[in-house]
Amino acid sequence: MQVKEYKPLIVAFCCNWCSYAGADLAGNNRLSYPADVKIIRVPCSCRVNPMFVLRAFQRGADGVIICGCHPGDCHYTSGNYYTRRRMALLFSMLDYLGIERDRTRLEWVSAAEGAKFAATMNDFVEKVTALGENKRLEDLRCKK
Amino acid sequence: MQKITRDQLIEKAASLLGNGTVSCVLGWEKGEFDYDVTPALFETESELREKFVFGDFCGANLSKYLVSKTRKCEGRILVFLKPCDTYSFNQLLTEHRFDREKAYVVGIPCEGMADIERVKELCGDGISSVTADGDELVVTTLYDDEPVRVKAESVLAERCVNCKSKKHVAYDELIGEDGEVLSSARFDEVARLEAMTPDERFAFWQNELSKCIRCNACRNVCPACTCERCVFDNPSSGVENKAAANSFEEKMFHIIRAFHVAGRCTDCGECSRVCPQNIPLHLLNRKFIKDIDDFYGEYQAGAEVGSRAPLVNYTFDDLEPGEVFERGGQDA
Ligand code: SF4
Ligand code: SF4
Ligand code: FES
């Protein structure tokens, strides 16, 4: 019998000014990271409403990662500082509700850090793969 | 048992109405039973004498009603506020929800309010009347000939057992003596949950949140929830007013509700009080409050007017979300 290999679906919200470019650089340098990472480009990490994270899980994501410019480098000066507080509280709340903490992450990746981008994604995918399918924040109506 | 009486409050309100300081009074009136007291607006002294009540079931926080009533009422509104209610009052002012000049706050002391659910646990159902007598409540039920006496202390609402402050942070006038900010054990239960395994926590919340019937009472009563247009009324939000379709929607609703008031919730406890399903909503709000205190320094919403809420604030060296978990305490 053939067992289908489990591949998690990862949603990565990437800031246009840094991490999205970082992802591009990773591609240009032929650094590999799993194809199951679906990148959504946002104008700034601060654009990510906590609802987006919940929605991603609802629609079938197994892990959600948000990538933005390093603190101090935000294109809009302070957006990522707000992101940092917001996501710290959101992730902690999800953990409090019993949702595995390795399913969420926030990372700072600059446009020059193609290697960091690939390494981060590889590591994140590995952690989420270990957890398996997202069962605790799934919406069965959205399952194919 | 409250130290101040209904008559004292009526006298105060009648004199302020009489001398023209205020044109109406926000207070409480009896509902169908002694224990389902509801907020009410009074315009004349005779109305007050007829319907106004004050006692151990006046838990309702009247501050939120100022948002709509100050728009309708000409002149100033007298509002009776217990110490914890004044935090909500300040928070509403911070958010410019009404004009300070339109409110005349009479601060009243509070000995802690009774929780009818706790009374029912002790006396059973079919309660026909509850009256205060010294430090006891006298409860008559449809099924017992003799009234039952319970200690007021034994039926205190959870939020009053863990009262955070007996001090008024806003008032125009005080009746009785002001108290102190208290150090309460209000975060103990949150810490107990944090110490559980994720599986236990998940089971705990699954069990609690699945009771929700989406009546929206928790949102409607909340003095921090005063948006004119609420996401829960928007049919395209996917979380509009209807019973949750599945456990995802339950969690979604509760995360959104708690998150929307994070950093602004004064921990007044109204949401847990009104929930017909007795879901411990305060444990969600307090998780945010506890985290905010731990991560960014202690912050009490409503302690002063104009303070900057933690979620619209930052420092350069705030904790990273990853570090939150590294700090330990919670079991992985
Ligand atoms: S008051 Fe209780 S039952 Fe009603 S929506 Fe809120 S949590 Fe659900
Ligand atoms: S969330 Fe609950 S405790 Fe917090 S302000 Fe609103 S009603 Fe009060
Ligand atoms: S512009 Fe990249 S995080 Fe704000």
Side-chain angles (χ1 to χ4, degrees):
Chain A
M1 197 178 84
Q2 204 190 357
V3 183
K4 205 173 141 217
E5 193 196 344
Y6 167 65
K7 287 203 175 140
L9 178 65
I10 305 291
V11 172
F13 291 101
C14 292
C15 162
N16 177 45
W17 304 103
C18 48
S19 326
Y20 192 79
D24 231 11
L25 186 64
N28 286 340
N29 290 346
R30 302 185 182 279
L31 298 168
S32 69
Y33 62 91
D36 319 294
V37 177
K38 306 290 181 225
I39 295 180
I40 298 180
R41 180 161 66 153
V42 286
C44 171
S45 64
C46 193
R47 176 67 185 91
V48 183
N49 181 325
M51 272 277 262
F52 293 3
V53 177
L54 298 180
R55 279 274 183 253
F57 282 119
Q58 178 185 25
R59 302 282 152 88
D62 297 308
V64 178
I65 181 166
I66 297 146
C67 299
C69 311
H70 284 269
D73 292 346
C74 174
H75 201 73
Y76 309 95
T77 321
S78 54
N80 50 7
Y81 291 122
Y82 295 109
T83 310
R84 184 158 65 180
R85 285 201 168 188
R86 204 184 280 159
M87 293 307 156
L89 291 177
L90 177 69
F91 296 172
S92 176
M93 175 53 79
L94 291 176
D95 176 63
Y96 185 63
L97 295 177
I99 286 124
E100 303 92 341
R101 57 178 68 158
D102 280 340
R103 290 198 193 278
T104 47
R105 195 186 289 192
L106 176 69
E107 284 288 344
W108 311 124
V109 181
S110 79
E113 294 176 322
K116 180 174 180 189
F117 183 88
T120 302
M121 291 304 155
N122 281 317
D123 180 64
F124 188 56
V125 170
E126 196 181 305
K127 294 242 160 66
V128 177
T129 309
L131 288 174
E133 254 181 277
N134 158 34
K135 288 279 174 208
R136 298 192 166 175
L137 263 183
E138 73 177 352
D139 188 335
L140 287 174
R141 293 167 303 173
C142 299
K143 287 267 145 119
K144 274 181 251 115
Chain B
M1 173 71 183
Q2 301 303 317
K3 286 208 180 109
I4 40 163
T5 62
R6 166 183 188 261
D7 291 340
Q8 267 176 293
L9 299 187
I10 293 181
E11 288 318 319
K12 172 55 62 190
S15 83
L16 288 165
L17 272 178
N19 68 20
T21 309
V22 300
S23 61
C24 39
V25 178
L26 252 177
W28 302 269
E29 69 178 14
K30 188 175 162 240
E32 200 165 339
F33 301 99
D34 291 330
Y35 52 81
D36 56 2
V37 170
T38 48
L41 194 69
F42 303 89
E43 280 171 354
T44 62
E45 186 180 335
S46 59
E47 265 184 307
L48 280 166
R49 299 214 181 270
E50 192 190 331
K51 295 195 206 131
F52 185 94
V53 294
F54 185 70
D56 291 325
F57 292 102
C58 290
N61 175 347
L62 303 175
S63 59
K64 181 178 187 175
Y65 297 87
L66 289 167
V67 176
S68 61
K69 298 303 176 203
T70 50
R71 293 178 197 175
K72 290 191 193 122
C73 199
E74 292 278 334
R76 292 180 98 178
I77 301 182
L78 188 174
V79 59
F80 290 112
L81 296 181
K82 305 184 291 298
C84 58
D85 305 339
T86 58
Y87 287 79
S88 311
F89 179 84
N90 274 352
Q91 186 61 27
L92 286 161
L93 284 179
T94 300
E95 295 169 11
H96 309 286
R97 301 303 288 127
F98 57 82
D99 188 356
R100 177 66 180 90
E101 296 309 309
K102 295 271 297 205
Y104 189 89
V105 180
V106 175
I108 55 175
C110 171
E111 304 305 312
M113 292 291 160
D115 178 349
I116 189 61
E117 297 302 326
R118 294 199 174 182
V119 178
K120 283 182 188 163
E121 278 167 25
L122 296 176
C123 308
D125 270 337
I127 293 171
S128 48
S129 82
V130 189
T131 45
D133 180 18
D135 58 0
E136 289 183 328
L137 293 182
V138 184
V139 186
T140 56
T141 69
L142 295 174
Y143 312 113
D144 295 307
D145 298 332
E146 283 295 307
V148 188
R149 293 182 156 263
V150 294
K151 285 257 176 252
E153 214 184 332
S154 64
V155 293
L156 267 192
E158 186 279 339
R159 60 175 168 164
C160 302
V161 173
N162 290 317
C163 178
K164 64 179 181 290
S165 173
K166 297 273 187 219
K167 180 182 158 72
H168 292 82
V169 289
Y171 57 83
D172 291 297
E173 189 177 331
L174 273 182
I175 295 186
E177 264 179 50
D178 208 7
E180 295 292 323
V181 175
L182 307 174
S183 65
S184 78
R186 62 189 171 127
F187 297 118
D188 287 8
E189 191 62 11
V190 176
R192 194 181 68 82
L193 282 172
E194 285 172 349
M196 289 179 172
T197 66
D199 288 351
E200 288 168 341
R201 282 200 293 274
F202 185 75
F204 173 86
W205 284 112
Q206 189 85 341
N207 176 44
E208 290 295 343
L209 302 185
S210 62
K211 296 178 199 158
C212 177
I213 54 173
R214 273 310 296 278
C215 62
N216 282 345
C218 50
R219 174 203 64 175
N220 294 348
V221 80
C222 175
C225 280
T226 61
C227 296
E228 308 285 310
R229 298 199 175 178
C230 174
V231 58
F232 299 131
D233 294 329
N234 175 359
S236 57
S237 69
V239 279
E240 74 277 30
N241 296 319
K242 63 172 180 60
N246 59 21
S247 73
F248 179 84
E249 276 190 2
E250 281 156 10
K251 290 190 208 83
M252 178 98 149
F253 170 74
H254 286 279
I255 295 171
I256 296 173
R257 190 204 60 79
F259 208 104
H260 279 195
V261 296
R264 309 188 300 116
C265 163
T266 60
D267 199 11
C268 70
E270 284 289 86
C271 45
S272 293
R273 177 181 69 87
V274 298
C275 178
Q277 301 295 85
N278 297 319
I279 299 171
L281 296 165
H282 55 278
L283 295 180
L284 293 174
N285 308 321
R286 283 182 188 165
K287 169 65 177 167
F288 278 128
I289 298 174
K290 182 171 181 285
D291 277 356
I292 287 169
D293 285 354
D294 288 353
F295 304 166
Y296 313 120
E298 275 189 32
Y299 179 82
Q300 171 61 53
E304 56 208 34
V305 179
S307 65
R308 196 158 162 184
L311 273 166
V312 289
N313 204 354
Y314 63 85
T315 65
F316 296 131
D317 43 18
D318 279 339
L319 206 68
E320 296 290 338
E323 290 169 328
V324 168
F325 298 135
E326 278 162 26
R327 284 160 39 118
Q330 306 173 14
D331 251 320

